[in-house]
Amino acid sequence: MRKPFVAGNWKMFKTVGEARQLVSEMVPGLQAVAEVEKVLCPPFTALLAVAALLEGTDIGLGAQNMHWELSGAYTGEISSAMLAELCQYVILGHSERRMYFGETDETVNRKVQVALKQGLTPIVCVGETLQENEAGQTAEVVSRQVRKGLAGVASAFDSSGNSSFVIAYEPVWAIGTGRAATASGAVDVIAGVIRPALSVLFDRPAAQAIRILYGGSVNGSNAAEFFAESEIDGALVGGACLKLADFTQIVRAAAR
Ligand code: PGA
């Protein structure tokens, strides 16, 4: 049984003050849903403040990106060691990073390796663009992103026996567009492409234990449709994660 997982990707929203307010309001509702692994991913600047508010709760904290080097002359970058002091998770390879900041399968892979060494749980994002989808290249693109992004990852489990990383299938055309994939369309890729690609990299029990999320215009009203599918282990939520009622509803829906 894979534990349901819901992460909120705040993107470039919320000052420290705004983050404190939203998290204070969110904690009671989220904590009430013990069956779900919940993670908030605010901007770097709010991590410290949010960490303090999440202390003693069962809600995890994640960053949205990091650099692959441990330290060095990389102006503006943040290392895995810096994150490990503050949080437990890190989103890697989000399509917005691939699209606007030159992220490639190779840099995603370097980051995944370093994050795992540092004890962070990467949430590795994969997904095809609209153009790739329309050209019938979804399986090829997503399978490549999984195989290259996770190349050389020795184990699918961390030292406590939990899955050491999570995958988020996020079709780029569904992100921030209000046009979510259908649940069955997401299952086609998750069960038909991603899980088989994991089976090439890991042995069967390990490949089966890895959580695969859906992301792309998930909201309070459509979340339950996705979670009704046993192949969808949770969601990576953008826009709706900044809305108290919606995000709480999504987390509740994941406790199936
Ligand atoms: P969205 O974003 O929920 O706003 O579509 C999802 C994501 O980018 O992770």
Side-chain angles (χ1 to χ4, degrees):
M1 245 321 247
R2 297 182 293 261
K3 186 173 183 179
F5 188 107
V6 175
N9 172 11
W10 291 25
K11 309 195 180 186
M12 198 173 72
F13 291 101
K14 304 289 176 191
T15 62
V16 174
E18 291 164 348
R20 278 206 188 99
Q21 166 143 18
L22 179 63
V23 172
S24 311
E25 289 166 358
M26 253 177 199
V27 164
L30 299 187
Q31 254 203 302
V33 194
E35 308 91 313
V36 177
E37 193 166 330
K38 309 155 288 269
V39 181
L40 307 182
C41 303
F44 290 129
T45 44
L47 283 173
L48 187 59
V50 174
L53 292 171
L54 296 183
E55 215 177 295
T57 74
D58 68 346
I59 305 164
L61 183 63
Q64 301 170 16
N65 179 39
M66 54 164 240
H67 197 265
W68 59 79
E69 292 291 349
L70 293 176
S71 63
Y74 300 102
T75 301
E77 291 291 329
I78 303 276
S79 79
S80 55
M82 295 168 187
L83 292 183
E85 282 190 326
L86 298 171
C87 60
Q88 308 83 40
Y89 302 83
V90 59
I91 298 172
L92 294 176
H94 190 279
S95 63
E96 285 152 17
R97 305 253 12 130
R98 295 180 193 255
M99 204 164 16
Y100 305 129
F101 302 101
E103 193 91 88
T104 64
D105 292 332
E106 287 70 29
T107 57
V108 172
N109 183 247
R110 291 173 80 173
K111 293 178 181 194
V112 169
Q113 304 266 8
V114 172
L116 289 171
K117 270 202 200 109
Q118 203 64 245
L120 293 163
T121 301
I123 301 168
V124 183
C125 302
V126 297
E128 82 286 3
T129 62
L130 180 61
Q131 201 182 14
E132 290 161 343
N133 183 285
E134 286 174 345
Q137 295 167 341
T138 299
E140 178 194 329
V141 167
V142 173
S143 170
R144 187 203 70 222
Q145 289 173 337
V146 172
R147 284 182 286 107
K148 291 201 168 173
L150 297 171
V153 171
S155 171
F157 298 107
D158 67 15
S159 53
S160 37
N162 298 313
S163 83
S164 61
F165 59 87
V166 175
I167 296 193
Y169 169 56
E170 300 203 304
V172 178
W173 46 268
I175 296 178
T177 57
R179 189 184 148 212
T182 59
S184 72
V187 168
D188 284 348
V189 178
I190 288 173
V193 178
I194 299 178
R195 191 77 64 196
L198 293 173
S199 305
V200 175
L201 295 169
F202 303 99
D203 64 23
R204 200 183 141 74
Q208 285 299 324
I210 297 161
R211 267 92 50 94
I212 308 177
L213 320 176
Y214 167 75
S217 298
V218 175
N219 59 42
S221 325
N222 66 13
E225 279 167 50
F226 291 102
F227 303 149
E229 303 285 347
S230 63
E231 286 292 341
I232 302 180
D233 301 318
L236 180 56
V237 184
C241 83
L242 297 171
K243 299 178 190 148
L244 176 63
D246 262 82
F247 194 58
T248 311
Q249 201 178 346
I250 294 167
V251 170
R252 282 201 199 115
R256 52 178 180 226

